[in-house]
Amino acid sequence: MESSTTHSDNTRHRGNRHGRSEEARQAVLEAADDLLAERGFAGVTMEGIAARAGVAKQTIYRWWPSKVDVLLEAFTEDMAEHLTPEDLGDLGADLRVHLARLADFLTESDPGAVFRALTGQAQHDPQLAARLRDDHLSHQRTRDALPLRRAIARGDLPADLDVDTALDHLVGPIHYRVLVTGAPVPREFTDDLVAAFLDRHRAGPR
Amino acid sequence: MESSTTHSDNTRHRGNRHGRSEEARQAVLEAADDLLAERGFAGVTMEGIAARAGVAKQTIYRWWPSKVDVLLEAFTEDMAEHLTPEDLGDLGADLRVHLARLADFLTESDPGAVFRALTGQAQHDPQLAARLRDDHLSHQRTRDALPLRRAIARGDLPADLDVDTALDHLVGPIHYRVLVTGAPVPREFTDDLVAAFLDRHRAGPR
Amino acid sequence: MESSTTHSDNTRHRGNRHGRSEEARQAVLEAADDLLAERGFAGVTMEGIAARAGVAKQTIYRWWPSKVDVLLEAFTEDMAEHLTPEDLGDLGADLRVHLARLADFLTESDPGAVFRALTGQAQHDPQLAARLRDDHLSHQRTRDALPLRRAIARGDLPADLDVDTALDHLVGPIHYRVLVTGAPVPREFTDDLVAAFLDRHRAGPR
Amino acid sequence: MESSTTHSDNTRHRGNRHGRSEEARQAVLEAADDLLAERGFAGVTMEGIAARAGVAKQTIYRWWPSKVDVLLEAFTEDMAEHLTPEDLGDLGADLRVHLARLADFLTESDPGAVFRALTGQAQHDPQLAARLRDDHLSHQRTRDALPLRRAIARGDLPADLDVDTALDHLVGPIHYRVLVTGAPVPREFTDDLVAAFLDRHRAGPR
DNA sequence: ATCTAATCGAGACGGTACGTCAGGTCTTCGC
DNA sequence: GCGAAGACCTGACGTACCGTCTCGATTAGAT
């Protein structure tokens, strides 16, 4: 029954004692995303978002302290579903699939572009850096760690594995290519990362 | 060789037919560096540099297209000597020392801060990204590769080693911590990177 | 007659099915007056009145089209009693007392300050000008004219006297000083106006 | 030949160490005048002036503290030549002509409209009031007084005449009609003011 | 010894975006 | 149905920098 666009509309309102306009919120987030995609980070301005979203500047300032906050929310919204590793029951397969997806996310997707922009901006803004870490990165790292934790549970990895360091070794080179060298991140590269990791850590007679 | 450094000279001049004012150049570079250190990237403005350097805006625009070019030059200047790995004759030792220095450079030094700021800005500006790669990163990677190349020459590493990928595995996680997670990069972390690399690649009997 | 002044009641209500809140009305008028006195005309804003009166903006807009309407009502209320000339039975005495009071009203009193502000605003707003004339000025001029009409009735002034023009000559210079030159309007000045008028018009050989 | 668009032009410049752009100054003053005439005082905004004059807002703020300053300068410029009474050698004639012109200026002319707007604004802004008096009104009153001073010199008026008060009696009623009642100011009205003045003051047995 | 050309500090210029403030409209809910 | 609350769009405010420009002074090489 929700928002059924039939005749009278009705969810449409402007100004309301109880709660903000969801309509305006969505319009702002979309406008920010679109502007980033079309014109780059410098092209994302409060003025521009407002104009494109058909929203008053004041409405943006009421709910978001700055344009990076808008992008941050847009980003968080966008990537809820992304990048949760599957459970194939095999450590190597899990990691290979997940790292390949991560590489694809960072280099190809729209939310990946937002991530790069925000990470770039975070180099100039420690507060944003902290927020990125707290609101997003920590969750992502928890998801990234899932295959490792499952393997530990299965006995495929030693119980005392330093998971944090292991993750840095696995995803660090990917981020480095994306953020620093700009080199592509092909499947061979991610597979090789997994191979290196398995060589070193997998409990193994062989 | 023109306008050559004939003995004394002496550089102090305002207006000059041939050649620019070295005095003004230095003042600009220092002002930009200082502003970055004191007020962050957003605090570096052409107007601010000009005021602080006691120089006309036009003088800056005459020699540098944008503020990132000023920072880039300041940066290049500053880090000529840094980060050239020593030759201790031993691959493990060479790498451990070099990665530790790299980590220290990125996290502690002033030019490291400039690097982080420029890399951040490069996420919004593909042209800057390309310039960073061409003017700086390629040289740095050549330096980073020296220990590996020497080890190959000595026969301590296989001749067909993929040096680029190896470098990514070694320095990627360090950059990832610096640019993304903000985690510290202690000596144990860099030593462990080296250990993982040696485990995998060192020609080894056992 | 509903909700009428029956014994206690007592007027205090927030939200009410029958009729508006006298409490809110008074609070608005006072807030507007106070703001004008304290911060000048520019300091009188709908937002400010609402905040100070503890009233919603909408409540103001429901009853007054604009802030000048609020001031106008406050003004009308304040000056009902003021400036009705006494009847001393003597034209000269009546005029001298009345003009002195008028001068004092315009230069010293709070409602006089409101009058100056509204007249100032009326220069930018023809609708306000018309309303000021219709709602206030015409009544005031009728009162101003009383001494003259009584003198005509007594035969102390010619029956064909152009009362409008005479009034302009009497009160015009006072308003001019108040609104334009900012010069003080002492008793000698107003008495001299009366003297000039009597010289010219009073029937009389002697 | 002026402004002839021929090739180089040359008086045209934008930005200059020595002195401001006369071109911009004129454009601003004209734009302000035009806006006042077309849309009233409320229609005169810094933004609007800038847009209409094809000038940056900052350029206006650089030279004028507020929009009333712009209008004040436009006004001063416009009325340099206006309202200097002629010398016909006869007090009555001089005054009649001058007051008629004054009335016409105030009610009909563009600079008269600016004067009314500024005087209106001065009711809300004591600083503007002071500036209006110092920069403009004092000079105008000196001009207004000329016929009286000439008549005194000729012996047509007593040497001890209180010129200030006399001026207030003469021009006060005109301003009162213009600013307060909004009544027209026909020739009969101004002539009558002169007649009243002459009746009272002109040396004369007869 | 003059002339010429390049550079310098200075700063005004047309602009874009900033973040804030008030205006006037609309919607909800309690009384 | 009134009143408090407050979100909303609109539009102007005054400021900070942008990148371009024009000036007068300074200086070194060319004539």
Side-chain angles (χ1 to χ4, degrees):
Chain A
M1 194 52 55
E2 87 249 26
S3 106
S4 66
T5 14
T6 36
H7 50 90
S8 78
D9 175 9
N10 194 340
T11 72
R12 155 130 208 155
H13 64 151
R14 324 202 299 173
N16 176 339
R17 177 167 193 181
H18 300 291
R20 61 199 281 195
S21 160
E22 178 60 19
E23 196 181 6
R25 181 175 159 277
Q26 281 299 342
V28 167
L29 296 181
E30 274 176 39
D33 252 357
D34 291 354
L35 284 173
L36 186 73
E38 287 174 24
R39 311 226 282 252
F41 185 79
V44 182
T45 67
M46 287 302 223
E47 212 115 290
I49 296 171
R52 181 165 196 136
V55 142
K57 263 198 302 179
Q58 187 57 46
T59 297
I60 308 183
Y61 282 107
R62 183 154 31 233
W63 302 109
W64 295 276
S66 74
K67 71 177 187 178
V68 298
D69 292 79
V70 178
L71 287 172
L72 200 53
E73 182 167 337
F75 173 56
T76 302
E77 194 124 307
D78 271 353
M79 70 166 280
E81 69 281 13
H82 285 309
L83 293 180
T84 298
E86 294 175 69
D87 184 357
L88 304 170
D90 175 68
L91 175 57
D94 283 5
L95 287 177
R96 276 188 293 273
V97 169
H98 183 57
L99 291 197
R101 264 198 207 147
L102 174 61
D104 185 68
F105 171 81
L106 290 175
T107 57
E108 305 298 333
S109 74
D110 272 4
V114 179
F115 171 80
R116 294 197 311 271
L118 288 172
T119 302
Q121 196 59 21
Q123 308 308 316
H124 311 141
D125 178 352
Q127 294 204 350
L128 169 60
R131 204 127 41 89
L132 255 184
R133 283 197 281 278
D134 296 347
D135 295 359
H136 162 66
L137 209 68
S138 61
H139 303 110
Q140 185 51 42
R141 279 183 70 90
T142 303
R143 285 194 290 273
D144 291 342
L146 282 178
L148 303 184
R149 302 222 175 271
R150 287 193 296 250
I152 293 170
R154 284 194 305 264
D156 291 346
L157 283 176
D160 64 348
L161 177 73
D162 181 341
V163 174
D164 269 331
T165 298
L167 276 181
D168 293 342
H169 288 213
L170 284 166
V171 305
I174 298 172
H175 287 85
Y176 172 65
R177 283 205 163 182
V178 169
L179 298 173
V180 181
T181 71
V185 189
R187 182 70 192 239
E188 300 82 52
F189 185 78
T190 54
D191 282 357
D192 191 46
L193 281 167
V194 175
F197 174 79
L198 295 180
D199 276 1
R200 190 166 191 226
H201 292 289
R202 189 146 53 181
R206 179 128 327 259
Chain B
M1 195 54 59
E2 88 258 19
S3 106
S4 71
T5 20
T6 33
H7 47 90
S8 75
D9 172 19
N10 62 8
T11 53
R12 159 103 211 169
H13 61 159
R14 329 204 306 166
N16 176 343
R17 181 162 190 185
H18 297 295
R20 65 198 281 194
S21 160
E22 178 60 21
E23 196 181 6
R25 182 173 159 277
Q26 281 300 342
V28 167
L29 296 180
E30 273 175 40
D33 252 357
D34 293 353
L35 284 172
L36 186 73
E38 287 174 25
R39 311 226 285 253
F41 186 79
V44 182
T45 66
M46 286 303 222
E47 214 115 293
I49 296 171
R52 181 165 195 138
V55 142
K57 266 201 300 180
Q58 185 56 38
T59 298
I60 308 183
Y61 280 106
R62 186 154 25 231
W63 302 109
W64 294 277
S66 75
K67 72 177 186 178
V68 299
D69 292 79
V70 177
L71 287 171
L72 202 52
E73 180 167 338
F75 172 57
T76 302
E77 195 127 304
D78 273 351
M79 73 166 276
E81 68 281 11
H82 287 307
L83 292 181
T84 298
E86 294 176 69
D87 184 356
L88 304 171
D90 176 70
L91 175 58
D94 283 4
L95 287 176
R96 275 189 294 272
V97 169
H98 184 57
L99 291 197
R101 261 196 211 150
L102 174 62
D104 185 68
F105 172 82
L106 289 175
T107 56
E108 306 296 335
S109 73
D110 273 4
V114 179
F115 172 80
R116 295 198 309 273
L118 289 172
T119 303
Q121 196 58 20
Q123 308 307 316
H124 311 141
D125 178 353
Q127 294 205 349
L128 169 59
R131 203 125 42 88
L132 256 185
R133 282 197 282 279
D134 296 346
D135 296 358
H136 161 67
L137 209 69
S138 60
H139 302 111
Q140 185 53 43
R141 279 182 70 89
T142 303
R143 286 194 289 272
D144 291 342
L146 283 177
L148 304 184
R149 301 222 176 270
R150 286 194 296 250
I152 293 171
R154 284 195 303 264
D156 291 347
L157 283 176
D160 64 346
L161 177 73
D162 182 340
V163 175
D164 269 331
T165 299
L167 278 181
D168 292 342
H169 288 213
L170 283 165
V171 304
I174 298 172
H175 286 84
Y176 173 64
R177 285 204 162 181
V178 169
L179 297 173
V180 182
T181 71
V185 189
R187 183 71 193 239
E188 301 81 52
F189 186 77
T190 53
D191 283 356
D192 191 47
L193 282 168
V194 176
F197 175 79
L198 295 180
D199 277 2
R200 191 167 190 226
H201 292 290
R202 191 148 50 181
R206 189 85 324 257
Chain C
M1 195 53 56
E2 88 257 22
S3 111
S4 69
T5 18
T6 35
H7 44 93
S8 75
D9 170 21
N10 62 2
T11 53
R12 157 112 211 165
H13 60 160
R14 327 205 306 167
N16 176 344
R17 185 150 195 182
H18 304 292
R20 69 193 279 194
S21 160
E22 177 60 18
E23 196 181 7
R25 183 176 158 275
Q26 280 299 342
V28 167
L29 296 180
E30 274 175 38
D33 253 358
D34 292 353
L35 284 173
L36 187 73
E38 287 173 24
R39 310 224 286 252
F41 185 80
V44 183
T45 66
M46 286 303 221
E47 215 113 291
I49 295 171
R52 181 167 195 136
V55 143
K57 268 199 302 178
Q58 186 56 34
T59 299
I60 308 183
Y61 280 107
R62 185 149 28 226
W63 301 109
W64 296 275
S66 75
K67 72 177 187 180
V68 299
D69 292 80
V70 178
L71 287 171
L72 202 52
E73 180 166 339
F75 173 56
T76 303
E77 194 126 306
D78 272 352
M79 73 165 276
E81 70 279 14
H82 286 307
L83 292 180
T84 300
E86 294 177 70
D87 184 356
L88 305 170
D90 175 68
L91 176 57
D94 282 5
L95 288 176
R96 274 188 294 272
V97 169
H98 184 57
L99 291 196
R101 263 196 210 151
L102 174 61
D104 185 67
F105 171 81
L106 290 174
T107 57
E108 306 295 335
S109 74
D110 271 4
V114 179
F115 171 80
R116 295 197 310 271
L118 289 172
T119 303
Q121 195 59 19
Q123 307 307 317
H124 311 141
D125 178 352
Q127 294 204 351
L128 170 59
R131 203 125 43 85
L132 254 185
R133 283 198 282 279
D134 295 347
D135 296 358
H136 162 65
L137 209 68
S138 61
H139 303 110
Q140 185 52 42
R141 280 184 68 92
T142 304
R143 285 195 290 274
D144 292 341
L146 283 177
L148 303 184
R149 302 225 176 269
R150 288 195 295 251
I152 293 170
R154 283 195 305 266
D156 290 347
L157 283 177
D160 64 349
L161 177 72
D162 180 341
V163 173
D164 268 331
T165 298
L167 276 181
D168 292 343
H169 288 212
L170 284 165
V171 305
I174 297 173
H175 286 84
Y176 173 65
R177 284 204 163 184
V178 169
L179 297 173
V180 182
T181 70
V185 189
R187 182 71 193 239
E188 301 82 51
F189 186 77
T190 54
D191 283 356
D192 191 47
L193 282 167
V194 176
F197 174 78
L198 294 181
D199 276 1
R200 190 166 191 226
H201 293 289
R202 190 148 49 184
R206 187 92 315 269
Chain D
M1 195 53 56
E2 90 250 23
S3 106
S4 64
T5 12
T6 36
H7 48 91
S8 81
D9 176 8
N10 192 339
T11 73
R12 158 134 206 150
H13 64 150
R14 328 202 294 175
N16 177 337
R17 177 167 193 182
H18 302 288
R20 61 200 281 194
S21 160
E22 178 60 21
E23 197 180 5
R25 183 175 156 275
Q26 281 299 342
V28 167
L29 297 180
E30 273 175 39
D33 253 357
D34 293 353
L35 284 173
L36 187 74
E38 287 174 24
R39 312 226 282 253
F41 185 79
V44 182
T45 66
M46 287 303 224
E47 212 116 292
I49 296 171
R52 183 168 195 132
V55 142
K57 265 200 297 180
Q58 188 56 47
T59 297
I60 308 183
Y61 282 108
R62 193 167 8 242
W63 301 110
W64 295 277
S66 74
K67 72 177 187 178
V68 299
D69 292 79
V70 178
L71 287 171
L72 200 53
E73 181 167 338
F75 172 55
T76 302
E77 195 126 305
D78 271 353
M79 72 164 279
E81 70 280 14
H82 286 310
L83 293 180
T84 299
E86 294 177 69
D87 184 356
L88 306 170
D90 176 67
L91 177 57
D94 284 3
L95 287 176
R96 275 188 294 270
V97 170
H98 184 56
L99 291 196
R101 262 195 211 154
L102 173 61
D104 185 68
F105 172 81
L106 289 175
T107 56
E108 306 297 334
S109 74
D110 272 4
V114 179
F115 172 81
R116 295 198 309 272
L118 288 173
T119 302
Q121 195 59 20
Q123 308 307 317
H124 311 141
D125 178 353
Q127 294 205 350
L128 169 59
R131 205 125 42 90
L132 254 184
R133 282 198 280 280
D134 296 345
D135 295 359
H136 161 65
L137 208 69
S138 60
H139 302 110
Q140 184 54 41
R141 278 183 69 90
T142 303
R143 285 194 289 273
D144 291 342
L146 282 177
L148 303 184
R149 302 221 176 272
R150 287 194 296 251
I152 292 172
R154 283 194 306 264
D156 290 348
L157 284 175
D160 64 348
L161 177 73
D162 181 339
V163 174
D164 269 330
T165 299
L167 277 181
D168 292 343
H169 288 214
L170 284 165
V171 305
I174 298 172
H175 287 84
Y176 174 65
R177 285 205 163 182
V178 170
L179 297 173
V180 181
T181 70
V185 189
R187 183 68 192 239
E188 300 81 51
F189 186 76
T190 53
D191 283 355
D192 191 45
L193 282 167
V194 176
F197 174 78
L198 294 180
D199 276 1
R200 191 165 188 228
H201 292 289
R202 191 149 50 181
R206 190 104 318 270

